[in-house]
Amino acid sequence: MSPKKTDHIRSGISDSGLFREVFDKYVPQLTGFACRFLDEGDAMDAVQEVFVRLWKNGRYRLPASELSPYLYRAVLNVCRDRLRHASVEKNYMAKMSLYLKNEEIEHYETHLEETEEEVIFKKVLRSIDELPAKCREIFRLSYLERKKSFEIAEQLDISRRTVEAQLYKALRILRDKLS
Amino acid sequence: MNNTEYCQSSIISYLEGSSGEEERAALEAWLRESTANRELFFGLKALYDSGNKKDLSAQARDLMWSGIAEATGISREDVAAPGAIKRSRPIREFIRYAAIAAIALVTGYGISVYTGSRQEAAMNEIRMEAGTRSSVILADGTVVTINSSSTLRYPDRFGRKREVWLDGEAYFEVAPDKKHPFTVRSRQQAVNVLGTSFNIQAYPGDRYNTVTLLSGSVELELYDKAGNMIALEEMKPYDRIRFDLEEGLYAGTVLDDIDRQRSWKDGIYRFRDEKLDVIAARLARYYGIGITVTDPELGNMNITGSFPLDQPLGEVLELLNWEDKFVVRPVGRDYIIEKK
């Protein structure tokens, strides 16, 4: 794993330059992640807080494989604290069930590594790639190209029922893999 | 009606941020039911959310950077801001659809809404785990009670034919409609119905299928392993046909008064002069464990009895053996039944 570390030790790049790179890479996904628990403004605040701490503790120098889990966990912790302190005066808290939010946070605490954006995207794409060939083609046409099943049937010269059966099969396989 | 079904739209509404108080309460109740439900829901929500995320605007990002720069003392002009990184839209959309589709499959909610076409019937699936039972009302008003370890697949709307697929056991009360025959397909058999109540037992892996008619009339088609029709039988009320899939043979009996009262639908499993082998296989399904009868002679022994399906299996096996004819030995979660 040691060659990874050299990623960030490049000649000429300043600490603040490296920090900015980390910021640009992770802030969009982390803010999105925080938005699952907080409203947008609070989510942005939470991520800011994490990055201020990140600068101070110097962990932005960690290799990506350690940095990403660290950041997600830090965001989760800040969000949990903010949820805990959020009082009823907050309008959205009154609307959002606290129970659901807390359960969700608890879930992430044990499944954080599966939550990182890259991990999810890779897993989904790999799952699609692993579908049987015919299944995959029909699935792509339906979900990525948004074609209706009769259009796919015409295009591939098969019955609509076959298309639907294949889609159903694909969803079953994906469900088992993803859930 | 079971909670899962009541909850299906609540899940999707919650994900889409459009759930009201009542829906959220339903969702909460469902989540409180089991860890499995929570695992499933939050796993799918994570998937959905990662597909649903809005891209952070460049403006918001710059605002955040200013805040951080100020708090840390990094000069704002120190570093150049590269363009925002965006994930391609189709993949995001796909992930969101996949999450909803997965929820749809789990909860039996129609997929068609999300594939964009209201015209096509989508296939739903309800799967009962061991030890659970539930009823579902189909689009035509037919009520199906699905037994443990059984799966029913049905379209969310029926076309000219009403056709559903069953693995396992279910009790049907078919809404009468002469113009649209109702067909239940299982392994090597099809039951054609006009309007009637009947029970089908056709578990994958079992040697026998059993169809029991309680009212109305049905036509039973039986097929051999190659898919050739070997029999077409018209059944009358209280007929029961047991089909031996191995041998391709079948035999009919007429239920007597006591049998006519019998149904697992009320949560009681009744059997009369049933082979121990068959009872053991059935119990294994209901409770989701393994039961092995080691001695063939023992397996052939006839037993009569009944017990509630929510009784602990240990007690059930004790009851089964009240004459002390065999030995029940627990092995981990499973049981072995052997000669004394």
Side-chain angles (χ1 to χ4, degrees):
Chain A
M1 283 286 107
S2 57
K4 270 264 162 195
K5 288 203 168 137
T6 59
D7 279 3
H8 286 162
I9 310 170
R10 276 170 297 180
S11 56
I13 190 157
S14 63
D15 274 354
S16 54
L18 175 59
F19 183 68
R20 176 71 210 214
E21 272 187 21
V22 170
F23 173 90
D24 284 322
K25 181 171 174 197
Y26 289 104
V27 155
Q29 46 181 307
L30 290 174
T31 310
F33 183 55
C35 279
R36 295 177 195 185
F37 321 109
L38 306 171
D39 69 17
E40 207 185 346
D42 281 359
M44 283 165 68
D45 282 353
V47 174
Q48 269 185 322
E49 192 182 324
V50 167
F51 270 82
V52 170
R53 214 184 294 161
L54 183 73
W55 171 255
K56 287 181 178 158
N57 65 25
R59 294 221 171 137
Y60 57 89
R61 298 192 194 91
L62 286 172
S65 60
E66 289 166 43
L67 182 59
S68 174
Y70 165 77
L71 285 172
Y72 271 90
R73 195 160 291 282
V75 168
L76 191 63
N77 285 335
V78 173
C79 287
R80 194 187 33 227
D81 285 348
R82 284 182 181 238
L83 266 184
R84 203 172 282 157
H85 295 130
S87 45
V88 206
E89 87 224 54
K90 288 258 182 186
N91 205 11
Y92 74 95
M93 281 312 299
K95 286 191 200 134
M96 274 296 165
S97 157
L98 212 52
Y99 167 79
L100 288 173
K101 285 292 157 203
N102 283 327
E103 283 294 333
E104 189 171 357
I105 287 204
E106 209 168 283
H107 174 85
Y108 280 121
E109 283 185 335
T110 44
H111 295 81
L112 204 56
E113 68 292 348
E114 302 145 36
T115 307
E116 292 165 48
E117 194 165 270
E118 286 306 316
V119 177
I120 288 193
F121 278 99
K122 277 191 192 136
K123 194 171 164 193
V124 169
L125 294 175
R126 199 175 49 234
S127 303
I128 298 174
D129 279 343
E130 282 168 8
L131 290 173
K134 194 176 177 192
C135 225
R136 184 174 62 228
E137 185 180 10
I138 292 170
F139 191 79
R140 283 216 160 108
L141 288 170
S142 172
Y143 281 88
L144 298 184
E145 297 186 23
R146 309 295 296 282
K147 289 210 161 95
K148 303 210 163 93
S149 56
F150 72 87
E151 292 170 329
I152 301 171
E154 264 172 32
Q155 185 179 334
L156 301 179
D157 201 21
I158 50 179
S159 77
R160 218 174 79 176
R161 196 166 165 163
T162 308
V163 172
E164 278 158 9
Q166 290 286 347
L167 277 178
Y168 183 72
K169 184 175 156 192
L171 288 173
R172 279 192 67 143
I173 297 173
L174 289 175
R175 173 191 66 179
D176 290 343
K177 283 190 177 162
L178 298 174
S179 61
Chain B
M1 193 62 21
N2 89 359
N3 230 336
T4 310
E5 213 179 282
Y6 181 55
C7 199
Q8 62 207 1
S9 58
S10 311
I11 293 181
I12 294 170
S13 310
Y14 183 73
L15 292 185
E16 291 177 334
S18 60
S19 67
E21 287 293 323
E22 219 174 284
E23 279 183 310
R24 217 163 41 233
L27 176 62
E28 275 193 42
W30 181 71
L31 291 177
R32 282 179 206 273
E33 262 175 36
S34 73
T35 330
N37 288 358
R38 289 193 291 275
E39 287 277 306
L40 184 65
F41 173 73
F42 290 116
L44 289 170
K45 182 173 189 301
L47 189 64
Y48 178 89
D49 284 343
S50 61
N52 195 35
K53 202 186 76 186
K54 276 187 301 180
D55 285 316
L56 189 68
S57 70
Q59 213 180 353
R61 187 200 57 194
D62 291 346
L63 200 66
M64 287 171 78
W65 177 249
S66 308
I68 293 166
E70 204 167 307
T72 56
I74 300 174
S75 159
R76 243 174 276 181
E77 284 72 36
D78 206 14
V79 279
I85 306 154
K86 280 186 185 166
R87 178 78 51 185
S88 76
R89 194 156 282 286
I91 294 179
R92 269 201 199 298
E93 271 195 6
F94 157 71
I95 290 177
R96 199 166 69 245
Y97 282 115
I100 287 182
I103 292 163
L105 285 171
V106 170
T107 60
Y109 192 77
I111 309 164
S112 58
V113 190
Y114 300 96
T115 49
S117 148
R118 231 16 217 148
Q119 303 308 310
E120 297 159 32
M123 197 53 77
N124 298 327
E125 178 183 80
I126 293 192
R127 183 147 92 201
M128 288 299 124
E129 301 303 328
T132 58
R133 288 182 301 283
S134 179
S135 295
V136 58
I137 301 174
L138 307 185
D140 63 338
T142 293
V143 180
V144 187
T145 307
I146 308 159
N147 207 349
S148 295
S149 308
S150 301
T151 303
L152 182 76
R153 278 178 284 277
Y154 60 97
D156 63 349
R157 297 182 310 113
F158 289 112
R160 237 182 334 167
K161 281 195 294 184
R162 296 182 287 169
E163 205 167 26
V164 300
W165 288 262
L166 172 72
D167 284 340
E169 183 167 26
Y171 182 81
F172 290 83
E173 289 156 82
V174 175
D177 181 355
K178 287 200 168 137
K179 282 187 193 147
H180 302 95
F182 191 98
T183 302
V184 185
R185 296 194 177 277
S186 304
R187 211 174 29 131
Q188 285 179 247
Q189 85 177 21
V191 179
N192 301 318
V193 191
L194 291 173
T196 193
S197 314
F198 59 98
N199 190 68
I200 296 178
Q201 209 177 62
Y203 279 107
D206 274 11
R207 177 167 175 177
Y208 300 98
N209 286 354
T210 310
V211 176
T212 310
L213 181 65
L214 292 176
S215 71
S217 70
V218 302
E219 214 175 59
L220 176 64
E221 296 170 10
L222 301 176
Y223 297 85
D224 65 14
K225 292 196 159 156
N228 306 310
M229 202 197 287
I230 50 177
L232 180 64
E233 285 288 326
E234 220 174 279
M235 293 177 70
K236 305 227 151 25
Y238 303 120
D239 279 352
R240 165 175 287 168
I241 288 181
R242 179 182 251 213
F243 176 33
D244 181 339
L245 278 68
E246 292 290 315
E247 300 286 330
L249 301 172
Y250 64 97
T253 48
V254 177
L255 303 192
D256 61 23
D257 285 347
I258 301 162
D259 278 326
R260 287 174 196 192
Q261 309 299 320
R262 288 180 183 180
S263 156
W264 52 268
K265 259 201 359 151
D266 53 9
I268 295 178
Y269 176 39
R270 301 174 174 86
F271 44 90
R272 193 156 54 133
D273 292 335
E274 188 70 273
K275 289 186 173 54
L276 182 60
D277 263 346
V278 175
I279 297 170
R282 191 91 308 130
L283 287 175
R285 286 203 186 283
Y286 286 139
Y287 289 92
I289 47 100
I291 304 178
T292 317
V293 182
T294 52
D295 183 63
E297 204 184 311
L298 202 57
N300 261 329
M301 186 170 74
N302 284 333
I303 296 183
T304 298
S306 75
F307 48 80
L309 286 171
D310 50 10
Q311 195 163 5
L313 181 60
E315 287 173 30
V316 170
L317 291 173
E318 230 167 85
L319 271 174
L320 208 58
N321 193 25
W322 67 281
E323 285 180 89
D324 210 18
K325 284 185 174 157
F326 46 85
V327 178
V328 180
R329 196 157 56 83
V331 180
R333 285 182 68 236
D334 299 341
Y335 290 88
I336 290 176
I337 296 178
E338 8 177 67
K339 265 217 282 225
K340 287 203 74 163

